[in-house]
Amino acid sequence: GGSGNGMEFTSFKSGSSFKVRVLGTEDLIRFYSYGIYKKVNSFVAQNPSKMNDKGFPVADYTPWDLAWKYYQDLKKAAADKGDSKAEEKYKEEAAKYRVKERYALGFIDLETGNPIIIDLSKKQAQAVYAVITKFEKKLGKVAFELSKTGSGTSTTVSLTPFIDMEEDLTDKERENFNKYDGKEFDMSLFDGLLFEADEKTQIENLVAAGFDISLIGKSLGAGSNNEKDDEEINDEDMPF
């Protein structure tokens, strides 16, 4: 669970930026995350599924993988029938439950002098990592601006070196930069960062997300407050 040192991801919304020091090229972890924005907080599976090279689950499915697969199969069937409207709808549903490959990257925030950990998508992490490796030999001399712009699928994260450390950083920021000379990022800060959900919690999360768990042969044991939706579902509304 979220035990460990109480470290959390630093909020990194679009429009925000940090002046940072990068301590090395390996201050990161990869993880596979589930969750639905504003509905179910992101979590990792206590017993992860087996993935193929493209990051799709292929065996030992978690309950969320089963929900994803349920809609994937419907999407395929709709595609085979040439029903593009249904195909699009199932594709959207499948995407909600799909596992996402993400990366946690560690930096030193020069404003505070404290370590921060940022949560990035695979694409964002690759862009940032390319800059880190390019400047690998100069990490001890160069500070960077880490910023996020745009929204939705056009969100961009960039890591840009400061050309002039004297001019671009305040005295305090330079002091915080120098404080980390010869130091490595504390990798133990990644421990307990991610919430690990067991099978029962994942099933509860599916219910919270509005997924009918009987469709994947799951149920919550007696005594759980598995409340029914307020709205009655009309047979005619059902897509199948």
Side-chain angles (χ1 to χ4, degrees):
S3 60
N5 44 52
M7 188 80 176
E8 290 181 359
F9 283 119
T10 294
S11 169
F12 188 41
K13 296 188 174 72
S14 188
S16 58
S17 71
F18 294 94
K19 293 179 182 179
V20 297
R21 176 165 182 170
V22 178
L23 293 179
T25 55
E26 291 176 14
D27 308 338
L28 73 161
I29 58 167
R30 175 173 69 172
F31 61 99
Y32 290 95
S33 166
Y34 301 85
I36 300 176
Y37 185 59
K38 290 195 171 162
K39 264 196 172 176
V40 175
N41 289 337
S42 60
F43 64 89
V44 293
Q46 196 175 50
N47 298 313
S49 40
K50 289 199 171 64
M51 312 266 180
N52 65 13
D53 294 345
K54 292 192 173 137
F56 288 101
V58 287
D60 301 338
Y61 296 111
T62 68
W64 277 60
D65 295 335
L66 291 173
W68 164 75
K69 194 171 178 312
Y70 175 80
Y71 284 115
Q72 277 291 99
D73 293 345
L74 286 177
K75 184 190 104 171
K76 280 201 192 92
D80 292 344
K81 279 194 209 132
D83 185 346
S84 58
K85 199 172 164 194
E87 184 186 352
E88 192 52 41
K89 183 182 155 196
Y90 294 135
K91 182 182 168 185
E92 272 178 33
E93 285 300 316
K96 286 185 196 169
Y97 304 104
R98 171 158 147 58
V99 65
K100 294 165 189 74
E101 181 180 342
R102 298 191 69 82
Y103 289 80
L105 276 73
F107 301 92
I108 300 302
D109 178 359
L110 296 179
E111 193 184 327
T112 62
N114 295 328
I116 55 171
I117 297 179
I118 302 285
D119 173 14
L120 298 177
S121 71
K122 181 180 179 179
K123 200 170 139 195
Q124 292 165 352
Q126 283 171 330
V128 167
Y129 194 69
V131 177
I132 293 175
T133 48
K134 183 180 172 187
F135 286 89
E136 183 175 359
K137 301 272 190 288
K138 298 196 176 86
L139 294 179
K141 300 189 192 81
V142 177
F144 296 86
E145 180 179 38
L146 176 70
S147 59
K148 185 187 266 189
T149 52
S151 64
T153 48
S154 61
T155 306
T156 311
V157 172
S158 55
L159 186 69
T160 318
F162 285 112
I163 304 301
D164 187 339
M165 296 280 281
E166 289 298 315
E167 203 168 288
D168 297 329
L169 300 186
T170 64
D171 291 348
K172 184 74 185 149
E173 287 164 346
R174 270 198 305 281
E175 189 186 315
N176 284 334
F177 185 94
N178 295 332
K179 188 167 96 173
Y180 282 88
D181 282 351
K183 295 200 173 132
E184 292 183 354
F185 193 83
D186 178 1
M187 294 302 281
S188 75
L189 295 175
F190 289 108
D191 299 342
L193 182 68
L194 306 166
F195 177 72
E196 278 193 12
D198 59 15
E199 173 136 342
K200 180 171 178 286
T201 306
Q202 290 188 52
I203 293 170
E204 286 167 353
N205 283 347
L206 282 176
V207 172
F211 183 84
D212 176 0
I213 54 176
S214 69
L215 296 171
I216 54 171
K218 300 282 181 193
S219 65
L220 283 168
S224 73
N225 54 353
N226 182 358
E227 291 162 24
K228 287 273 177 283
D229 266 343
D230 297 338
E231 32 187 327
E232 286 295 310
I233 293 182
N234 193 332
D235 279 350
E236 288 153 31
D237 296 341
M238 297 306 271
F240 27 80

